Amino acid sequence: FFELIKDLLNINMANTENNSNDATWEDKKIKTISTVITSMGNFSVQFNYQTIAVAMLIMTSSVCTSTQSNCRDNIQDGWVAGTAAGVIFLGSVAGMLSMGYIGDIVGRNVAFVITLSMATFGAAASAAFSYGTAEDIYGIIIGCRFFLGWGIGGVYPLSAAKAGEDANHGLKDKNGEINIVASSFSFFFQAPGAMFPWLIGYIMSYQDIPINDKWRIILGIGAVPALFVVICTLYEMNLRENKEMNENNKKLAENHLGDSNISNIIDKKHSSVSNDNSTNDKKQLLLNDPKFKRYLFLTGGCWFIYDIAFYGVSLFSGVIVNAMKANDDDNVSSDASYRYATSRVLLAQLVGIPAGTLTIFAIKYYGTKIVQIYGFLFQATMFIVMAAVFYPLKKVDDVALFGLYCVLLSSLTSGSSITTFVIPAEIYPYEIRTTYV
């Protein structure tokens, strides 16, 4: 892992020096901040996806929409069970489509601020406004989670493009290929992001905190990483603006501008407007290109298939882990029961760290396509094995069953987990990259 970070830093330093004979401290600082933004943006995505799974385990018996017996077994009314976890993905689809397009129009950083400001509000509101009857509470949470999903959904196309572009190019160069290792590295932080809500839930199981405060903390704390990224992005935008202003002032001082030079600058500004119009025309041609529409079907289809598998498992991790126990607790919201679930899920999520690291190295040496193919084959194999042995192995050795579940999660956090994120950013040109990613 540390070798990977070293390699990434070497890539950033090398590219900075290649694009400028006198690489400035400002350049390096901007690149470092950009890496923090894309990495923590992805951390925020999985953090907020997972919070509802932890919160539902904690709150299910105290905020009940079904019979008390059902709620103690984590069974709510159908509209709650199906919508509370799923609505965030509906918002995410809207966020991916809208924020990706905005990123191509106004720039990656501005779109990042907009999308994660929405996520910050959605996470904070789901904790702050959820009061009333059980139906009211779940209804408010569901509404806020849609807004939250819209915000974090926008991170996917923006971070994939921004991470690869900022690592591989000069601060003004918008052409050429992206750095797929940098894009992969930013996505890697979704693994620790998925772990942290379960870690917080586990720690709170030992604390004397009212249940209603516990689940609100879990939901509301998701605003913290999102807000952190907003602040970092605004800081980077300010650094870039100051750098550009200093460069312009330096040129003015060096050239001792006369009237003819001022005329040249005006001509350049008119030329810049003309170039913008040319870029918009090119963007429209690329959006209508049948080749890229075909690529969209293929890359989107692979991501769709992967997400069904990954989120079908990860969002119900607590339920799955509890179902593995030979002796079930009679109340899933009891401290002992949800402590067991959070500790087991935390251990299972931990395998995402080495799995993601190995995937980045594999991408570096074998390329994204090969890694994606073998990643999907690994996942398919593990699902078949897990389905075949679940009930027989549960009766014989539930620890071995949990170990197998960890291997299943390692398949879901390696290979196609990262390549479905990186390949779209890799194959689309700059002008339509975040729209199609």
Side-chain angles (χ1 to χ4, degrees):
F1 176 70
F2 289 111
E3 283 295 318
L4 177 66
I5 294 176
K6 181 181 172 184
D7 286 348
L8 189 70
L9 291 175
N10 287 338
I11 288 168
N12 279 343
M13 299 276 277
N15 279 301
T16 301
E17 290 165 3
N18 288 338
N19 283 284
S20 172
N21 293 327
D22 184 23
T24 66
W25 170 244
E26 279 182 316
D27 293 334
K28 295 174 184 177
K29 184 158 54 170
I30 290 172
K31 283 178 176 289
T32 301
I33 293 294
S34 177
T35 301
V36 171
I37 289 167
T38 54
S39 300
M40 288 303 297
N42 277 291
F43 177 96
S44 175
V45 168
Q46 279 304 323
F47 189 103
N48 281 291
Y49 276 149
Q50 296 294 325
T51 52
I52 192 65
V54 184
M56 290 289 284
L57 274 179
I58 298 171
M59 69 193 295
T60 186
S61 62
S62 62
V63 186
C64 181
T65 57
S66 184
T67 65
Q68 199 60 40
S69 174
N70 280 342
C71 289
R72 288 166 70 89
D73 289 330
N74 200 17
I75 301 172
Q76 297 284 344
D77 278 356
W79 71 272
V80 173
T83 313
V87 70
I88 193 169
F89 295 105
L90 187 61
S92 293
V93 171
M96 290 176 189
L97 294 174
S98 59
M99 293 303 166
Y101 181 75
I102 290 172
D104 279 334
I105 299 298
V106 300
R108 316 316 191 206
N109 282 340
V110 174
F112 239 114
V113 170
I114 295 170
T115 199
L116 280 170
S117 294
M118 292 174 66
T120 301
F121 174 79
S126 65
F129 301 151
S130 50
Y131 289 91
T133 64
E135 288 76 11
D136 291 338
I137 289 172
Y138 284 117
I140 292 167
I141 290 174
I142 288 167
C144 292
R145 298 272 306 169
F146 175 80
F147 201 72
L148 169 62
W150 195 310
I152 61 177
V155 172
Y156 280 97
L158 296 171
S159 63
K162 178 176 169 61
E165 290 164 357
D166 288 358
N168 213 38
H169 309 135
L171 299 177
K172 295 180 180 179
D173 184 14
K174 296 180 179 179
N175 300 305
E177 298 178 353
I178 70 160
N179 187 312
I180 60 173
V181 174
S183 289
S184 302
F185 183 79
S186 73
F187 188 82
F188 166 84
F189 281 85
Q190 289 207 9
M195 290 170 54
F196 262 74
W198 296 97
L199 176 61
I200 295 169
Y202 178 75
I203 293 170
M204 286 199 301
S205 71
Y206 289 97
Q207 307 303 314
D208 186 20
I209 302 173
I211 286 179
N212 286 337
D213 290 342
K214 285 182 178 178
W215 61 260
R216 283 195 174 90
I217 290 170
I218 290 288
L219 293 176
I221 205 168
V224 175
L227 180 60
F228 173 76
V229 177
V230 170
I231 293 169
C232 287
T233 308
L234 291 171
Y235 179 57
E236 185 197 337
M237 292 168 67
N238 184 60
L239 287 176
R240 287 179 182 269
E241 186 178 336
N242 289 339
K243 182 177 184 299
E244 187 174 351
M245 188 181 301
N246 291 335
E247 287 176 349
N248 289 337
N249 290 337
K250 186 178 178 180
K251 287 177 181 176
L252 287 171
E254 288 175 350
N255 293 332
H256 303 289
L257 287 174
D259 291 339
S260 61
N261 288 331
I262 292 173
S263 298
N264 287 337
I265 287 179
I266 293 171
D267 289 340
K268 285 180 181 178
K269 286 187 176 180
H270 285 304
S271 175
S272 175
V273 172
S274 176
N275 287 337
D276 287 342
N277 292 333
S278 176
T279 299
N280 289 333
D281 292 340
K282 182 180 179 182
K283 183 182 298 182
Q284 200 58 46
L285 286 172
L286 290 170
L287 286 172
N288 293 328
D289 190 329
K291 178 179 74 173
F292 292 120
K293 289 182 179 180
R294 185 170 67 253
Y295 286 175
L296 179 63
F297 174 77
L298 296 171
T299 56
C302 288
W303 206 336
F304 175 77
I305 291 167
Y306 168 76
D307 278 356
I308 291 174
F310 177 75
Y311 291 109
V313 171
S314 67
L315 287 184
F316 297 98
S317 292
V319 177
I320 294 169
V321 167
N322 273 327
M324 291 180 187
K325 287 193 297 183
N327 298 313
D328 294 338
D329 196 303
D330 63 347
N331 182 4
V332 296
S333 289
S334 67
D335 283 342
S337 183
Y338 96 78
R339 183 182 303 140
Y340 172 87
T342 53
S343 62
R344 285 298 181 96
V345 172
L346 191 57
L347 284 173
Q349 296 278 12
L350 191 61
V351 302
I353 304 294
T357 304
L358 288 172
T359 298
I360 297 173
F361 276 111
I363 287 172
K364 183 176 179 180
Y365 293 107
Y366 299 107
T368 50
K369 186 176 179 181
I370 294 296
V371 173
Q372 177 151 303
I373 291 170
Y374 282 100
F376 274 120
L377 287 173
F378 183 25
Q379 290 166 20
T381 301
M382 288 311 305
F383 272 112
I384 292 169
V385 171
M386 192 75 181
V389 305
F390 189 93
Y391 286 108
L393 194 56
K394 175 183 176 180
K395 296 175 183 177
V396 178
D397 191 345
D398 61 339
V399 176
L401 180 61
F402 174 72
L404 195 61
Y405 175 70
C406 290
V407 179
L408 172 64
L409 275 188
S410 74
S411 75
L412 290 169
T413 50
S414 63
S416 53
S417 166
I418 293 178
T419 57
T420 51
F421 175 81
V422 174
I423 288 176
E426 184 183 14
I427 66 174
Y428 297 118
Y430 177 85
E431 290 81 6
I432 60 169
R433 184 168 289 145
T434 58
T435 299
Y436 271 12
V437 170

